[in-house]
């Protein structure tokens, strides 16, 4: 989970976990700007370090390295 935590730090997100199992964690990435919070739902694969933003119809897939840096989108 370290890559996800580092990614949140680099991007200025607050991590709000809603669930976890053996393979993934999911929840919301929250960004606050001038007292307005925007929440982005996510699912993070713990084995492949693949981050899925907006899981479902408009899904964006981001591949993270061990330091939480985006290596592929």
């Amino acid at each position: 989970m370290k890559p996800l935590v580092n990614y949140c730090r680099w991007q200025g997100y607050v991590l709000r976990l809603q669930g976890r199992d053996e393979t993934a964690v999911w929840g919301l990435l929250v960004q606050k700007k001038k007292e307005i919070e925007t929440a982005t739902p996510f699912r993070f694969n713990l084995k492949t370090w693949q981050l899925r933003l907006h899981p479902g119809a408009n899904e964006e897939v981001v591949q993270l390295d061990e330091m939480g840096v985006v290596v592929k989108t």
Side-chain angles (χ1 to χ4, degrees):
M1 202 161 111
K2 181 180 173 185
L4 177 61
V5 172
N6 285 336
Y7 174 80
C8 289
R9 285 183 183 154
W10 309 144
Q11 300 299 318
Y13 288 118
V14 173
L15 183 61
R16 291 191 185 155
L17 293 179
Q18 295 177 330
R20 179 183 184 125
D21 62 21
E22 309 81 42
T23 61
V25 295
W26 56 90
L28 299 171
L29 299 178
V30 179
Q31 197 166 39
K32 189 173 182 180
K33 291 183 181 178
K34 296 184 181 178
E35 297 185 29
I36 298 173
E37 286 188 352
T38 56
T40 305
F42 77 91
R43 183 173 182 87
F44 180 70
N45 187 307
L46 296 168
K47 296 186 189 328
T48 65
W49 298 338
Q50 198 173 59
L51 176 61
R52 296 179 181 277
L53 303 169
H54 306 285
N58 298 324
E59 184 174 277
E60 178 185 346
V61 179
V62 177
Q63 182 65 50
L64 303 179
D65 71 4
E66 64 187 35
M67 293 303 296
V69 176
V70 176
V71 288
K72 278 196 254 183
T73 57

